Amino acid sequence: MFVVSIAGSPSVRSRSGVLLDRARRWLNGRGVEVASYQLRDFPAEDLLYARFDSPRILDLVEQVSRADGLVIATPVYKASIAGALKVLLDLLPERALNHKVVLPLATGGSNAHMLAVDYALKPVLGALKAQEVLHGVFAEDQQIAYASGDSPERLDEALERRLLDSLEHFHGALARRHRPHDRNLLATARWSV
Ligand SMILES: Cc1cc2nc3c(=O)[nH]c(=O)nc-3n(C[C@H](O)[C@H](O)[C@H](O)COP(=O)(O)O)c2cc1C
């Protein structure tokens, strides 16, 4: 299975990035290959001037087309998703997420805008024809502590549990998505189709 992850925060030190990194490590542990992209990988001018032919954008489009699923992380900015993430998603072809499963992750200063993913990100993923957009995970800043000194970053217990549940769900959705194409499975099936 192959997944593309997109870190939607423009910040170098990023709490939504911490969630995404956890997700990436968990998926790797399950044998899922993950290609990781960050907003900062893309030249700002390519994003601002909507350069559909930018080599970086074309590379992302190619990887997304190969992917079974995506994990997309965003901070909440002004009650919505990060503007630069929207600009990046605008550069994907119209059916880029056809047949793909998407797990959204978001962080915000408080839970006042915890529905931002539902009203600001999910419609965009729908417009890109995502097959299945999972419920996802929203975390408040206070639930994520950055690494410092010898201590690794820490998620509070409830958040850790929610993230693991979501990842299990995502992994299951990726596996279901794979099955219809698995010729070996059909060849060895003991039921008729
Ligand atoms: C420009 C800006 C706007 C923000 N607007 C909101 C907001 O409307 N609601 C909210 O809950 N948090 C808001 N925040 C807080 C961030 O969502 C929060 O700190 C988030 O975890 C940042 O994610 P990051 O560390 O991955 O960049 C804002 C932060 C910035 C810098």
Side-chain angles (χ1 to χ4, degrees), residues 1-2 66-68 101 131 172-183 185:
M1 285 184 268
F2 175 58
R66 287 182 48 225
D68 300 298
V101 185
Q131 174 184 296
L174 291 173
R176 282 197 302 279
R177 181 193 176 278
H178 253 264
R179 240 166 248 152
H181 308 294
D182 189 337
R183 291 207 182 116
L185 180 74

Side-chain angles (χ1 to χ4, degrees), residues 49-179:
Y49 296 127
R51 290 185 178 142
F52 290 88
D53 59 351
S54 148
R56 287 293 172 107
I57 297 294
L58 292 175
D59 169 61
L60 173 67
V61 169
E62 158 71 16
Q63 296 285 53
V64 167
S65 75
R66 287 182 48 225
D68 300 298
L70 284 85
V71 186
I72 300 180
T74 181
V76 175
Y77 275 5
K78 304 289 190 281
S80 187
I81 62 171
L85 173 63
K86 173 65 166 60
V87 168
L88 179 62
L89 295 175
D90 288 346
L91 294 175
L92 295 179
E94 197 192 328
R95 307 187 73 84
L97 302 185
N98 210 5
H99 306 305
K100 300 182 199 303
V101 185
V102 184
L103 176 66
L105 306 174
T107 59
S110 74
N111 65 13
H113 299 127
M114 65 184 297
L115 296 181
V117 163
D118 291 319
Y119 59 72
L121 182 58
K122 288 188 178 176
V124 179
L125 303 175
L128 291 166
K129 306 290 184 286
Q131 174 184 296
E132 191 176 354
V133 181
L134 302 184
H135 186 62
V137 174
F138 174 87
E140 291 178 50
D141 283 355
Q142 60 186 17
Q143 296 180 293
I144 302 171
Y146 287 121
S148 93
D150 289 339
S151 330
E153 81 274 340
R154 257 183 49 80
L155 309 189
D156 90 8
E157 219 178 292
L159 172 60
E160 184 94 55
R161 222 174 309 118
R162 282 193 293 122
L163 182 62
L164 291 182
D165 280 354
S166 287
L167 287 166
E168 291 282 4
H169 203 73
F170 181 56
H171 191 255
L174 291 173
R176 282 197 302 279
R177 181 193 176 278
H178 253 264
R179 240 166 248 152

Side-chain angles (χ1 to χ4, degrees), residues 1-2 25-34 171:
M1 285 184 268
F2 175 58
R25 292 199 305 257
W26 188 94
L27 289 166
N28 284 159
R30 293 291 179 102
V32 178
E33 185 194 345
V34 182
H171 191 255

